[in-house]
Amino acid sequence: MQPKRIYVAGHTGLVGSALINVLKERAQSDLVIRTHAELDLRDAAAVESFFSTERPDCVILAAARVGGIMANSRYPVEFLLDNLAIATNVIAACHRHDVERLIVFGSNCAYPRETSQPIRETALLTGPFEPTNAAFATAKIAAIELCRGYNQQFGRRYLVAMPTGLYGPGDNYDPQNSHVAAAMIRRFHEAKAAQLPRVEIWGSGRPLRELLYNEDCARAGTYLAYLPVEKLDALLREGFYPLLNIGGGEEVSILELAKRIAAVVGYTGEIATDPAKPDGMPRKLLDGGRLAALGWHPQVPLDEGLKRAYADFLARHCHG
């Protein structure tokens, strides 16, 4: 299948904005986008009206309510309800309107807190979630099960792409709701500007994180959107759940990540840990072997990606 009319849901977000750039590089001119103000994906009637009018043949669902440990811990109801509504409304509309190709972006937090590493797709639902993001993970599991159900019951070819931790240009740097790399970029930048002698990071600093540059993630999603039908069918026959990991291939501890970001920013003060704060999952390394076997590999090393991310932060938040 060669998609003709692609709807990118969540095009202003970290993954969605990169998807637009990658699709334009591929000369994909017939792109459909809506801002949250123009289309609230939590509103089933609005979603139905949109699909009836726009008739996309491919949908890439990158829209979600997202955040780090702090936001997930403080707002579990919103994280569960909003993400459930987005997933169910969009996936169901894709079926009703005969969308041929659907790529849903999941999250590595949907995997069990304690499982063998690197995490294979078969680890899904083999153990309990990490408590600090259980609500978000529950919504992602529902999206996966819904895709599996439509594939089984109606012969759809819906696929969930499970990326590892993301960062890069277009990230959210809000101190209450940002992911780990973005939160550190802002914190170390502000500490440098204020000439603070010490920066404290949450937790012990020991948990390991695998990071993926958002443009690499977008290239993987686009690769899957254009994947020939016979390859997609073979992929879906391999497992019970329609999952495919997108790994970054580079794993660092939280403390090591803090040191690398401090170096990129130019902060030279002390970096301290706060073991009283939650660590989150001890390790989240994905096994990206199935996607690698299809011929896709990440291109942007972590240090280079962090430099680009900081340049983006400076351009968007420090232009004055």
Side-chain angles (χ1 to χ4, degrees):
M1 172 201 172
Q2 288 296 308
K4 297 180 177 62
R5 186 165 174 78
I6 301 179
Y7 167 46
V8 178
H11 74 282
T12 61
L14 181 60
V15 176
S17 58
L19 278 164
I20 295 299
N21 293 335
V22 170
L23 287 165
K24 287 180 177 178
E25 287 176 5
R26 291 191 67 129
Q28 175 65 49
S29 58
D30 198 359
L31 295 175
V32 183
I33 56 175
R34 292 291 188 279
T35 64
H36 175 72
E38 294 168 330
L39 174 61
D40 186 345
L41 295 176
R42 299 169 299 178
D43 184 336
V47 171
E48 175 64 21
S49 176
F50 166 80
F51 273 80
S52 296
T53 302
E54 296 297 336
R55 311 294 299 185
D57 64 355
C58 175
V59 172
I60 305 178
L61 178 53
R65 182 180 185 124
V66 298
I69 290 177
M70 183 185 297
N72 274 272
S73 299
R74 288 185 176 178
Y75 308 109
V77 172
E78 288 84 353
F79 271 81
L80 180 53
L81 289 179
D82 287 355
N83 287 301
L84 271 176
I86 291 168
T88 54
N89 290 342
V90 173
I91 296 169
C94 284
H95 170 65
R96 285 195 302 271
H97 295 276
D98 202 26
V99 171
E100 294 184 38
R101 187 67 60 92
L102 169 64
I103 308 297
V104 177
F105 276 97
S107 168
N108 61 354
C109 74
Y111 286 119
R113 171 184 166 83
E114 303 288 346
T115 188
S116 59
Q117 306 277 338
I119 304 171
R120 302 185 66 186
E121 291 88 347
T122 51
L124 196 76
L125 294 176
T126 58
F129 302 131
E130 157 59 38
T132 56
N133 55 32
F136 183 75
T138 299
K140 290 301 182 181
I141 291 291
I144 294 166
E145 180 60 31
L146 198 52
C147 287
R148 187 198 66 80
Y150 277 115
N151 292 353
Q152 175 184 304
Q153 190 173 340
F154 298 103
R156 293 298 181 190
R157 295 183 173 97
Y158 297 166
L159 185 65
V160 179
M162 299 282 272
T164 190
L166 299 173
Y167 73 101
D171 212 338
N172 166 30
Y173 297 96
D174 184 284
Q176 303 299 319
N177 298 309
S178 54
H179 287 114
V180 59
M184 286 186 181
I185 285 173
R186 176 166 182 159
R187 178 173 288 188
F188 283 113
H189 173 83
E190 291 179 346
K192 177 186 175 183
Q195 297 183 324
L196 299 181
R198 185 172 184 267
V199 169
E200 193 171 82
I201 60 174
W202 273 39
S204 67
R206 290 190 299 268
L208 299 171
R209 292 292 179 265
E210 177 191 27
L211 295 177
L212 179 67
Y213 190 61
N214 65 329
E215 187 177 285
D216 275 339
C217 183
R219 291 190 187 284
T222 302
Y223 185 84
L224 295 173
Y226 284 86
L227 197 67
V229 169
E230 60 273 14
K231 288 190 176 183
L232 179 58
D233 284 344
L235 189 68
L236 292 173
R237 284 195 297 267
E238 290 176 5
F240 183 70
Y241 287 104
L243 293 180
L244 198 65
N245 286 339
I246 307 176
E250 199 161 356
E251 186 182 38
V252 295
S253 72
I254 293 293
L255 183 57
E256 173 62 22
L257 177 63
K259 291 176 179 178
R260 292 198 190 190
I261 290 175
V264 167
V265 171
Y267 176 76
T268 57
E270 178 191 356
I271 301 174
T273 58
D274 182 3
K277 295 291 196 305
D279 270 339
M281 287 179 69
R283 192 183 186 199
K284 289 198 286 188
L285 176 64
L286 295 186
D287 184 336
R290 295 173 72 215
L291 186 54
L294 290 171
W296 183 87
H297 303 277
Q299 300 175 10
V300 182
L302 179 58
D303 289 333
E304 173 60 28
L306 291 174
K307 290 176 185 176
R308 296 184 191 180
Y310 183 50
D312 170 72
F313 172 83
L314 292 174
R316 293 197 295 125
H317 297 276
C318 306
H319 48 271

